[in-house]
Amino acid sequence: MKLIVVAGARPNFIKIAPLVPALIAAGHDAAIAHTGQHYDAAMSDVFFRDLEIPEPRWFLNVGSGTHAVQTGKAMMALEELFESERPDAVIVVGDVNSTLAGALAASKLHLSVIHLEAGLRSFDMLMPEEINRLVADQLSTLHLTPTREAGDNLIREGVEPERIVFVGNIMAESVVRHLPLVEDRAPGRDFGLEPGGYALATVHRPENTDVAERLANIARALADLPVPVLFPVHPRTRARMEELLGGSDRVMLVDPVGYLDMLALQRDAAVIVTDSGGVQEESCMVHTPCVTVRRNTERGITCEVGANRLAPADADAIRAAVDEALAAPRDWPVPERWDGQVSERIVEALANGIPPLRGA
Ligand code: UD1
Ligand code: UDP
């Protein structure tokens, strides 16, 4: 089959890393369209290198902008591409604006849309990703889900069971494949941090970064943790965080790191404080306890198994959750089908055929 895989932002790259080589090995003509939503070397190129992702066939240079500008530009560029290439299907992954643009542009051209990581729900419409997930799933012809709960969500929303395939978590496959490659890495040492002796933090969601009081609470909580904190900062968070921390020697703000270093940093951390979707899943895989600074999560399964807990953006609540995380046992079970066979199951699902568009 001729397949176009749309990717644009950091978490997309991790998801397509195991997928695209598996599709090509199965004989598909699968090629990547990079929308350019993320463009800094540390937010894009490093992942293609670290994860040996095939070079994108198309770069669409969409760049930053408001949601409508970014999504609209990506739709315009993707529409032109899909029209000239007429693929058998378009694969979109995750929940970023590039995912939404890919699903919209493809479905308007009557192309089949396959959504990988379908069915996750936070039930929080203040989250841009929830809107992207809901729309992408309504437009998709085939839904590849990471958990059984995701399939249940889709069925509740009226998706026919024959369109849903529980393939497992593709982020987990990236972890399984790359963890052995970082056995000898301890990137924390470059910052004077020993394995087990630091917290790792990432914060980039608008609900935290764009509300001054919440970001200040998070900064205060990090500066008061019982262990030093390494914080690779997303570009949207950097300026405000630097101002708030005012040279605290407890929190080290560093540039975003590559995937392999990030994996090793997560494995070696005593605890992780994050609002990232992917990091919630990876911390679960590497058995490092996680505190998620959000009011809800679409990755509820990580809390259910005992790997993750939620804390609102309040200094005392974050501290209490970190203390609980540090004291909790680390032998939680990894969720079902969060393993190294996810891309294999996707290839199998495609071999069984893509259900036709509704009404076609
Ligand atoms: C996007 C996704 C979010 C995901 C995150 C992963 C949407 C709605 N949000 O959020 O789900 O968790 O990516 O990292 O799609 N910027 C740079 N360099 C870059 C990219 C961005 O400096 O390479 C800065 C720009 O100032 C930009 C801002 O970051 O305006 C936000 O970028 P954008 O892609 O719009 O959203 P993210 O916050 O990265
Ligand atoms: N990540 C990384 N370097 C960093 C921060 C994150 O490699 O400095 C990886 C992280 O390990 C995970 C992915 O980026 O694989 C998650 O992306 P992000 O947190 O930006 O987005 P989300 O998952 O929240 O949508």
Side-chain angles (χ1 to χ4, degrees):
M1 266 191 283
K2 181 169 176 174
L3 301 167
I4 296 185
V5 180
V6 176
R10 178 164 69 185
N12 289 168
F13 307 138
I14 325 292
K15 288 167 193 150
I16 65 168
L19 172 68
V20 175
L23 294 174
I24 293 171
H28 295 292
D29 170 16
I32 300 167
H34 187 319
T35 63
Q37 175 173 349
H38 285 173
Y39 41 84
D40 286 348
M43 297 296 288
S44 177
D45 301 7
V46 66
F47 299 100
F48 283 82
R49 234 183 5 257
D50 267 11
L51 292 147
E52 297 181 10
I53 305 171
E55 182 77 2
R57 198 175 290 171
W58 305 279
F59 278 101
L60 306 176
N61 299 316
V62 164
S64 303
T66 64
H67 286 273
V69 166
Q70 190 173 60
T71 309
K73 277 189 179 168
M75 277 182 74
M76 286 161 70
L78 287 168
E79 181 181 61
E80 198 179 320
L81 173 67
F82 297 159
E83 252 181 331
S84 66
E85 294 292 327
R86 297 302 309 184
D88 296 303
V90 170
I91 303 184
V92 297
V93 302
D95 54 19
V96 303
N97 285 344
S98 302
T99 314
L100 173 65
L104 273 165
S107 56
K108 292 280 180 108
L109 293 172
H110 304 169
L111 296 171
S112 291
V113 177
I114 300 170
H115 187 199
L116 173 57
E117 202 185 86
L120 291 185
R121 295 291 179 267
S122 64
F123 304 101
D124 177 358
M125 292 299 277
L126 301 181
M127 227 189 149
E129 294 81 2
E130 183 73 357
I131 299 169
N132 294 346
R133 292 178 199 121
L134 277 166
V135 178
D137 280 336
Q138 278 302 315
L139 301 177
S140 294
T141 33
L142 179 62
H143 303 76
L144 305 174
T145 58
T147 59
R148 289 192 188 277
E149 292 74 12
D152 296 342
N153 289 335
L154 292 168
I155 286 174
R156 260 199 312 276
E157 289 168 14
V159 175
E160 304 88 334
E162 58 275 19
R163 294 184 182 276
I164 304 170
V165 185
F166 172 32
V167 293
N169 187 345
I170 196 75
M171 294 291 280
E173 178 163 346
S174 278
V175 174
V176 170
R177 284 173 183 259
H178 292 93
L179 211 47
L181 306 183
V182 298
E183 239 167 55
D184 299 330
R185 282 196 197 203
R189 292 213 171 100
D190 297 345
F191 306 101
L193 301 169
E194 286 303 314
Y198 65 93
L200 180 69
T202 79
V203 178
H204 71 274
R205 299 235 103 79
E207 69 187 70
N208 288 325
T209 58
D210 297 1
V211 181
E213 192 194 337
R214 291 201 193 136
L215 198 62
N217 289 346
I218 295 170
R220 198 149 50 86
L222 293 178
D224 288 342
L225 288 190
V227 282
V229 179
L230 185 68
F231 187 163
V233 204
H234 186 287
R236 75 178 291 146
T237 321
R238 177 133 214 165
R240 282 285 297 140
M241 248 320 165
E242 270 172 356
E243 223 173 85
L244 285 165
L245 286 164
S248 155
D249 58 359
R250 300 291 293 166
V251 184
M252 277 176 254
L253 292 181
V254 299
D255 287 335
V257 297
Y259 179 76
L260 295 173
D261 280 344
M262 186 66 183
L263 204 51
L265 286 170
Q266 291 188 72
R267 178 202 59 205
D268 291 349
V271 63
I272 294 174
V273 180
T274 192
D275 60 9
S276 157
V279 173
Q280 291 176 63
E281 298 173 331
E282 290 165 350
S283 55
C284 180
M285 293 298 295
V286 302
H287 287 269
T288 298
C290 184
V291 171
T292 296
V293 184
R294 281 178 47 190
R295 297 171 306 137
N296 49 52
T297 177
E298 60 292 328
R299 271 94 174 167
I301 197 157
T302 58
C303 298
E304 280 159 33
V305 299
N308 189 14
R309 69 268 310 133
L310 298 178
D314 166 89
D316 291 339
I318 294 171
R319 177 58 193 259
V322 166
D323 288 344
E324 183 198 298
L326 286 168
R330 292 173 167 231
D331 54 353
W332 55 77
V334 163
E336 187 184 3
R337 297 193 195 168
W338 288 30
D339 58 22
Q341 278 84 53
V342 182
S343 58
E344 229 174 87
R345 291 187 200 105
I346 296 172
V347 166
E348 206 179 293
L350 295 189
N352 290 335
I354 303 172
L357 294 172
R358 284 188 198 90

